[in-house]
Amino acid sequence: MAWTRYQKFLAIMMVVTGSINTLSTKWADKMDSKNSAGEVTLFVHPFLQASAMFLGEMLCLLTFKIMFWMNRNRDNPQNTLIQGNQNFNPFILMPAAMFDLVATSIMYIGLNLTYASSFQMFRGSVIVFVALMSSIFLGRVISNHQAIGIGLVIMGLALVGLTDALYQSDEAKGRNSLITGDLLIVLAQVITACQMVYEEKYVSGLNIPALQAVGWEGVFGFSVLSLLLVVFYWVPAPPHFDSNPRGTVEDVIDGLVQIFNNSKLLVAILGTVISIAFFNFAGISVTKEMSATTRMVLDSVRTIVIWSVSIAVAWQVFHWQHLVGFAVLITGLCAYNGLLARPCVRSTPSDDETRIVVADADEE
């Protein structure tokens, strides 16, 4: 069935804004600016960047409220993005927001240490942990094609990680930082999987509009992280993470000084805020208009765009092993979601009943 113009527009918006989100965050990590001590240093403020991401998610709630207000006089609003239950306690989303806060902060630390393309590829490992946790906590049964997909995903990510470990990086921080960054991103996916399992167990049955749920998680995440930024301002950081003049976990004042001392850095941060809002809107709309599987395929296209741009602007060097690893990863994702022909695997009712469909949880 051919896509409508609106569906094509949503697909393009999702790929473009999703790519901009990761690239703008990495672009900020690559820039330097005069800090609060008057020194020109690299911008290393992952927690401040995470707060910008949550600010972008909050815009989703604003969008929802505007759309809901515009349709307030209609008994049966046609827009599927605002259809759903309004009789719920927003604090049911607080645990999910906290999982998101921890995962996003760790991912942004990892992104600062590794390639943007590796960051995007390693986020694919979330399906492994979601499948395992769903099996343990939700009683799901992993089907044959999902098991094959998980195996291929692990092989693809192992190849990507091995390539990062073996080849000397052009990154100033060196090979050890690349490995650390890759491992941190995988760790973040474990926490993201906890978020997704929690949402499936406690939130999905409430029929909360997805755009509204993302917005509330943004509100809770931004509020809590804002308080943590005050605490982090006084907490000494361990070696190799004390990059601000105060040597603390995060110096938000120093970060803001650097942002306003470099107009390009300000553009990169605004790019993170605005792109995450549009990306969430587009991703949710794609799931509603088409399917979660289509969203997964488009997210894979986003990885190709990020990788291509990273090579084009010399943020990393092309290695054919990365290409092979990415191909194996995509094959695994397709197998997991049942997109590959399975002539030798007989479908059973239990396969269909226990199918685990993983949509992009970050919204990044």
Side-chain angles (χ1 to χ4, degrees):
M1 182 178 179
W3 287 2
T4 64
R5 288 185 178 181
Y6 180 61
Q7 290 174 334
K8 292 177 181 178
F9 170 74
L10 289 175
I12 294 173
M13 179 190 291
M14 180 181 168
V15 173
V16 171
T17 57
S19 301
I20 289 175
N21 182 257
T22 299
L23 291 170
S24 61
T25 304
K26 185 60 179 179
W27 185 32
D29 294 340
K30 303 289 287 186
M31 282 191 277
D32 52 30
S33 179
K34 185 180 293 185
N35 62 17
S36 56
E39 303 170 342
V40 177
T41 60
L42 284 173
F43 182 81
V44 185
H45 294 278
F47 295 100
L48 182 58
Q49 288 175 300
S51 65
M53 189 276 292
F54 283 115
L55 181 60
E57 287 189 0
M58 289 173 60
L59 295 178
C60 292
L61 183 60
L62 177 62
T63 301
F64 174 85
K65 292 296 185 182
I66 292 174
M67 295 170 64
F68 191 83
W69 180 81
M70 292 175 63
N71 289 269
R72 67 191 185 283
N73 295 324
R74 299 181 182 179
D75 295 332
N76 185 24
Q78 298 299 313
N79 195 322
T80 57
L81 293 177
I82 61 174
Q83 292 177 348
N85 175 34
Q86 292 299 302
N87 186 25
F88 68 94
N89 186 345
F91 283 95
I92 192 69
L93 297 166
M94 173 68 89
M98 296 305 97
F99 284 130
D100 194 11
L101 187 157
V102 176
T104 300
S105 299
I106 293 175
M107 278 195 293
Y108 279 3
I109 295 173
L111 177 59
N112 188 266
L113 298 173
T114 191
Y115 300 127
S117 60
S118 295
F119 166 83
Q120 196 63 37
M121 291 183 199
F122 275 102
R123 290 184 64 192
S125 64
V126 69
I127 72 165
V128 177
F129 305 113
V130 168
L132 294 176
M133 290 186 182
S134 295
S135 177
I136 295 171
F137 297 107
L138 301 179
R140 301 286 188 185
V141 177
I142 300 176
S143 64
N144 292 335
H145 69 86
Q146 288 174 339
I148 293 172
I150 289 172
L152 290 172
V153 166
I154 293 174
M155 289 174 56
L157 293 176
L159 185 53
V160 172
L162 188 62
T163 302
D164 287 345
L166 291 178
Y167 287 93
Q168 182 61 48
S169 165
D170 287 345
E171 296 269 328
K173 297 175 183 177
R175 180 184 295 121
N176 289 338
S177 291
L178 277 176
I179 298 172
T180 302
D182 291 345
L183 292 175
L184 285 174
I185 295 166
V186 172
L187 173 61
Q189 302 319 300
V190 177
I191 302 170
T192 298
C194 294
Q195 174 191 351
M196 298 176 72
V197 170
Y198 171 83
E199 289 176 341
E200 181 173 354
K201 186 174 180 64
Y202 297 104
V203 180
S204 60
L206 298 178
N207 191 29
I208 303 172
L211 199 63
Q212 186 179 23
V214 170
W216 273 116
E217 289 182 11
V219 170
F220 292 132
F222 183 80
S223 301
V224 173
L225 188 53
S226 296
L227 295 175
L228 288 176
L229 288 176
V230 177
V231 177
F232 291 163
Y233 183 79
W234 301 99
V235 177
H240 307 297
F241 291 94
D242 53 349
S243 55
N244 58 68
R246 292 174 51 84
T248 55
V249 173
E250 180 62 281
D251 186 343
V252 64
I253 296 177
D254 180 69
L256 293 174
V257 168
Q258 283 193 287
I259 290 172
F260 289 106
N261 280 337
N262 187 335
S263 58
K264 293 181 180 179
L265 189 54
L266 177 60
V267 170
I269 297 299
L270 290 176
T272 298
V273 174
I274 297 172
S275 63
I276 193 64
F278 279 97
F279 174 67
N280 275 290
F281 173 80
I284 293 169
S285 298
V286 165
T287 302
K288 293 278 188 179
E289 292 285 331
M290 291 169 269
S291 67
T293 302
T294 302
R295 184 174 179 176
M296 182 276 297
V297 173
L298 291 174
D299 208 51
S300 301
V301 175
R302 177 165 68 123
T303 304
I304 298 174
V305 173
I306 293 169
W307 188 25
S308 301
V309 172
S310 297
I311 294 174
V313 298
W315 286 354
Q316 68 181 90
V317 177
F318 174 80
H319 296 299
W320 64 267
Q321 292 90 341
H322 271 146
L323 181 60
V324 175
F326 177 67
V328 175
L329 172 62
I330 294 301
T331 302
L333 291 173
C334 291
Y336 184 89
N337 285 278
L339 295 179
L340 299 183
R342 293 175 285 144
C344 298
V345 180
R346 185 177 179 181
S347 178
T348 63
S350 59
D351 285 343
D352 297 329
E353 293 171 0
T354 59
R355 176 180 175 82
I356 307 169
V357 178
V358 179
D360 193 337
D362 46 145
E363 303 106 3
E364 294 154 67

